[in-house]
Each structure stands twice: as structure tokens, then as C-alpha cells.
Amino acid sequence: SLSINGVKNLNPSKWEIIPDRIETVTYMALSAILGNQMILKNANNNFIKEPLKLLSSMGIEYFCSSQNTIIVN
């Protein structure tokens, strides 16, 4: 059985779901394979630092124009 002990009042909170890291890196690789520039919005580069290093070592050029936008050349 499940027992939940609650509180009398709930306080509002703010949160968001982080962007899918695997999807972001997959789109970056696709852009490099096709040879087309791609702009990835809402792609927080703080969560994919190691994959970005790997892609860079493979010669994939990208630019993080802000914390949430990556431009793949």
C-alpha cells in the first residue's frame, strides 16, 4: 500500500524539462553528414560539453551563439 502525508498548502514553483541531449547531438551529426548549416534552438550546450568536444575532434564545426542556440556549419 501507499501512504502519502501531504501539506495544507502548496507553493508555486517553476521548472522546465531540459532539451533532449541525444537528439541535439544527432541533429548536429546529420548536419555535418549532409554538409548543410543547421541552427539548433533550445539546445542547451551546458548539457553536452563532452559530445561537443568529440564532434569538434571529428572536424565538425559549430558555434554556440548563446547558451541555448548552436549553429552547425
Side-chain angles (χ1 to χ4, degrees):
S1 72
L2 176 66
S3 176
I4 299 174
N5 296 320
V7 294
K8 292 185 186 234
N9 295 318
L10 295 176
N11 296 320
S13 65
K14 183 178 180 181
W15 58 275
E16 65 182 62
I17 298 172
I18 64 170
D20 188 316
R21 297 163 293 186
I22 295 172
E23 185 177 10
T24 300
V25 175
T26 301
Y27 277 116
M28 290 181 73
L30 177 65
S31 174
I33 290 168
L34 296 176
N36 295 331
Q37 184 183 63
M38 187 177 289
I39 300 173
L40 302 169
K41 296 181 180 179
N42 197 25
N44 191 325
N45 59 50
N46 287 325
F47 297 117
I48 57 170
K49 289 187 184 281
E50 291 304 315
L52 288 176
K53 289 179 189 177
L54 177 64
L55 293 173
S56 182
S57 72
M58 296 169 62
I60 297 174
E61 297 179 5
Y62 64 88
F63 172 71
C64 299
S65 65
S66 71
Q67 182 179 345
N68 292 321
T69 302
I70 301 172
I71 301 170
V72 184
N73 293 323

